Amino acid sequence: ENTAELPQNRFVTNLKWSAELDPQGVARIEAFFREILLLLRHKAALHGGILEDTRVVWFAPLSFDGFLRNQFQQVWDESFQQVFKARRPTICLTESVAPYYYLTATNQVVPNRDENVVNIDIGGGTTDLLLFADQKPAYSTSFRFA
């Protein structure tokens, strides 16, 4: 952001999850999602993927309330349907669930059946805790400290 810019150009480099979805913010988020989905579509096509069978899973912070999560779900779904020409919805998981599923799928963490696991996600404004019991999410909380 140290270069001289033309007056008509405006760069926004701090796109983050936000509870304040003003019209300009929504347009920026829609454009960002569309660009990500275009990259995914081209990557899938390059590797012989079947575009109609593509599924998108996105992750949201635990601190999202139901209303905000639904707003983002709608933007993801509309963008996905435009780019992939598919009718299925996208899938939303919390950011705290993702590392556990990745680590267990790659056998980096192999908990015993009777073993509990806690995942702590320290983010830019909140800390999320997710407790797994019997290898399933059992309890979650989020607080504003990061």
Side-chain angles (χ1 to χ4, degrees), residues 15-68:
L15 182 67
K16 292 184 70 78
W17 297 120
S18 175
E20 299 161 8
L21 289 176
D22 59 56
Q24 284 183 332
V26 170
R28 275 194 306 272
I29 290 167
E30 287 173 346
F32 181 70
F33 287 178
R34 248 188 332 273
E35 290 300 316
I36 289 174
L37 291 166
L38 284 167
L39 290 170
L40 292 173
R41 183 182 74 185
H42 294 298
K43 181 76 167 180
L46 280 171
H47 290 280
I50 301 169
L51 298 182
E52 298 79 33
D53 291 343
T54 303
R55 297 185 189 277
V56 169
V57 178
W58 62 280
F59 304 99
L62 274 174
S63 57
F64 266 17
D65 61 25
F67 177 75
L68 190 58

Side-chain angles (χ1 to χ4, degrees), residues 12-142:
V12 179
T13 59
N14 63 341
L15 182 67
K16 292 184 70 78
W17 297 120
S18 175
E20 299 161 8
L21 289 176
D22 59 56
Q24 284 183 332
V26 170
R28 275 194 306 272
I29 290 167
E30 287 173 346
F32 181 70
F33 287 178
R34 248 188 332 273
E35 290 300 316
I36 289 174
L37 291 166
L38 284 167
L39 290 170
L40 292 173
R41 183 182 74 185
H42 294 298
K43 181 76 167 180
L46 280 171
H47 290 280
I50 301 169
L51 298 182
E52 298 79 33
D53 291 343
T54 303
R55 297 185 189 277
V56 169
V57 178
W58 62 280
F59 304 99
L62 274 174
S63 57
F64 266 17
D65 61 25
F67 177 75
L68 190 58
R69 184 173 165 174
N70 287 339
Q71 281 188 306
F72 276 96
Q73 180 77 49
Q74 183 177 355
V75 175
W76 269 116
D77 287 347
E78 288 172 3
S79 299
F80 177 70
Q81 290 166 5
Q82 288 172 1
V83 171
F84 280 86
K85 309 296 186 231
R87 294 187 183 265
R88 77 172 52 86
T90 59
I91 300 164
C92 178
L93 297 175
T94 66
E95 290 173 340
S96 302
V97 171
Y100 176 81
Y101 287 142
Y102 172 78
L103 292 171
T104 55
T106 58
N107 292 323
Q108 295 180 45
V109 172
V110 185
N112 295 328
R113 193 77 171 133
D114 59 345
E115 189 174 54
N116 295 334
V117 176
V118 65
N119 181 67
I120 303 171
D121 176 20
I122 302 172
T126 61
T127 296
D128 298 341
L129 299 173
L130 182 59
L131 175 67
F132 288 85
D134 297 323
Q135 300 178 345
K136 295 180 183 154
Y139 175 77
S140 63
T141 189
S142 180

